[in-house]
Amino acid sequence: MTDSIDVIGRLRKMPAEAGNLVAYTLAVGDTRIPMNDLIGKKLRLDFEGVIRCINCDRTTKKSFNQGFCYPCFRKLAACDSCIMSPEKCHFHLGTCREPEWGEANCMVEHVVYLANSSGLKVGITRGTQVPTRWIDQGAVDAIPMLRVSSRYLAGLAEVACKSHVADRTNWRAMLKGDVPELDLVQERERILALVEDDLAELKRQHGEDSLRVVDEASLGLGYPVQVWPAKVKTHNLDKTPEVEGLLEGIKGQYLMLDTGVINIRKFTGYEVRFRVLD
């Protein structure tokens, strides 16, 4: 019964699956809670004052990079600056923090895509993270544009595209449902025409097989939202360890309560008590 949920555990990023509506699960310790079933119910999150690193399980006073302690933040390849700026990848220089991790996560096929989250944006993700990455960004529509052989090359292609299209989401507009309608097939053709010379140069430098334009269909995504907030107010467990409100929707990694929104991914590793109050 959803009205008897009362669990304590560490938060993780919400798993989500595409469907008619994206289906969300809240991970609290070992408990998995189907969140779409809780739309319209009053929830409460209490931060218990403990944060543990999602890599080494060390207790930390502050979370870095959404769930890591400072030593792991400094040493893990997953936390290196090139993760946020893939065009700065230094694997080929032999200086990757964890070469085996790099082989498994960066030196694999990536997708350069266009998405409509709060307007048109370009982004990249591992091929295996489609459509998860799009859901996490709250995209209502997304379309693959290029498939490339590595994260580094995806980053270089993204840089070329950023001269013509944004690479960030306006998360407040995304949460208000204030998203314009776009023809992503048409937008893909437009952007590809603008970066044609850049892509030809990347192929010349890295090989013809390193990059290919794809003609794949777009994917529309719907989210379980009953009420869109007129004004976006955020909850922060570091400042206010008790969060309570009526769950009105879920989008991206945000729970949308009538008292404000909370980004669950931001508080990965935080030990909380999660309850359904009615």
Side-chain angles (χ1 to χ4, degrees):
M1 295 290 289
T2 57
D3 57 1
S4 63
I5 294 174
D6 187 344
V7 296
I8 295 176
R10 273 175 282 169
L11 287 176
R12 293 274 184 164
K13 173 190 155 186
M14 285 189 288
E17 293 184 6
N20 291 333
L21 289 178
V22 173
Y24 284 95
T25 302
L26 185 67
V28 184
D30 294 329
T31 304
R32 300 294 180 266
I33 303 162
M35 292 302 292
N36 292 39
D37 297 342
L38 300 183
I39 302 291
K41 294 186 177 292
K42 183 173 283 189
L43 312 179
R44 183 177 174 101
L45 270 170
D46 292 280
F47 174 39
E48 300 286 285
V50 176
I51 308 171
R52 288 188 179 275
C53 175
I54 59 174
N55 180 64
C56 71
D57 207 38
R58 178 189 285 114
T59 300
T60 177
K61 292 182 179 180
K62 182 180 178 181
S63 174
F64 296 85
N65 202 36
Q66 300 175 334
F68 297 94
C69 65
Y70 188 69
C72 286
F73 172 70
R74 292 285 295 171
K75 76 178 183 181
L76 294 178
C79 299
D80 205 345
S81 60
C82 53
I83 297 302
M84 293 299 294
S85 301
E87 72 277 9
K88 297 178 182 178
C89 173
H90 46 96
F91 184 93
H92 58 289
L93 300 176
T95 54
C96 181
R97 291 179 177 181
E98 298 175 280
E100 289 186 2
W101 188 94
E103 284 279 5
N105 292 276
C106 300
M107 307 306 291
V108 295
E109 184 181 74
H110 277 63
V111 174
V112 182
Y113 63 85
L114 294 175
N116 184 10
S117 299
S118 57
L120 188 67
K121 73 175 290 290
V122 64
I124 73 169
T125 190
R126 292 195 306 275
T128 55
Q129 287 299 296
V130 173
T132 301
R133 178 62 174 162
W134 302 341
I135 292 171
D136 287 347
Q137 294 182 339
V140 298
D141 200 7
I143 193 168
M145 187 163 58
L146 304 166
R147 288 188 178 268
V148 301
S149 59
S150 69
R151 184 175 181 83
Y152 174 55
L153 190 54
L156 294 176
E158 183 184 37
V159 167
C161 294
K162 285 194 295 187
S163 299
H164 311 284
V165 61
D167 67 331
R168 297 192 181 277
T169 298
N170 181 334
W171 63 273
R172 291 182 182 275
M174 179 271 288
L175 289 174
K176 290 181 180 179
D178 186 17
V179 183
E181 289 190 15
L182 295 172
D183 184 336
L184 291 191
V185 172
Q186 187 177 76
E187 292 293 342
R188 177 173 63 187
E189 292 176 356
R190 181 178 69 87
I191 299 299
L192 285 172
L194 290 169
V195 299
E196 184 177 5
D197 291 344
D198 301 277
L199 299 182
E201 178 61 19
L202 289 176
K203 282 187 175 183
R204 187 189 70 79
Q205 293 179 12
H206 300 276
E208 283 291 324
D209 296 335
S210 64
L211 177 154
R212 60 187 173 93
V213 173
V214 294
D215 186 25
E216 298 174 22
S218 64
L219 176 67
L221 294 161
Y223 296 87
V225 179
Q226 284 186 344
V227 180
W228 297 100
K231 184 177 181 181
V232 178
K233 172 188 174 184
T234 57
H235 288 293
N236 187 335
L237 294 178
D238 293 318
K239 296 179 179 178
T240 307
E242 304 89 17
V243 171
E244 185 176 309
L246 192 72
L247 182 62
E248 296 182 329
I250 314 170
K251 194 178 185 190
Q253 281 288 312
Y254 288 86
L255 299 183
M256 303 160 67
L257 308 173
D258 62 346
T259 56
V261 304
I262 180 167
N263 182 353
I264 294 299
R265 189 171 190 174
K266 178 179 178 180
F267 299 105
T268 298
Y270 282 57
E271 187 167 302
V272 301
R273 181 183 182 190
F274 176 80
R275 288 177 282 168
V276 177
L277 300 182
D278 62 7

